Amino acid sequence: MAEPLPTIIENSLQIAWDFLDRSGGISDPQQAAEILLDSIKTQILKGESRTLMLSNRAIAAFEQRQKAPC
């Protein structure tokens, strides 16, 4: 049985957040949350529902945004 969508989102966000927090990558918590959640929502709209794939891609999106010049 598949997990409910809110649970998938919550778990994916928590995994990504925990990883970035432990690695010291979060300097602005609000911005980090927005980037991670936006990435997860976009992926879900495209049909992805695997928690680890969602979190890994959200981490990659966050890291890419941090490297991008302002």
Side-chain angles (χ1 to χ4, degrees):
M1 185 172 169
E3 288 183 84
L5 191 55
T7 303
I8 293 171
I9 294 169
E10 180 180 357
N11 290 343
S12 300
L13 182 59
Q14 190 65 54
I15 291 167
W17 186 272
D18 289 345
F19 173 82
L20 292 169
D21 190 40
R22 281 192 307 270
S23 69
I26 298 175
S27 59
D28 181 347
Q30 181 66 36
Q31 180 187 35
E34 290 173 6
I35 293 169
L36 294 173
L37 189 55
D38 184 51
S39 173
I40 290 168
K41 289 190 312 186
T42 299
Q43 292 176 72
I44 286 174
L45 290 173
K46 292 180 180 179
E48 183 59 70
S49 62
R50 297 172 291 175
T51 303
L52 288 177
M53 186 62 74
L54 291 166
S55 59
N56 286 340
R57 288 180 179 163
I59 291 166
F62 176 83
E63 290 174 340
Q64 190 66 28
R65 286 275 298 269
Q66 299 298 44
K67 291 179 185 175
C70 296

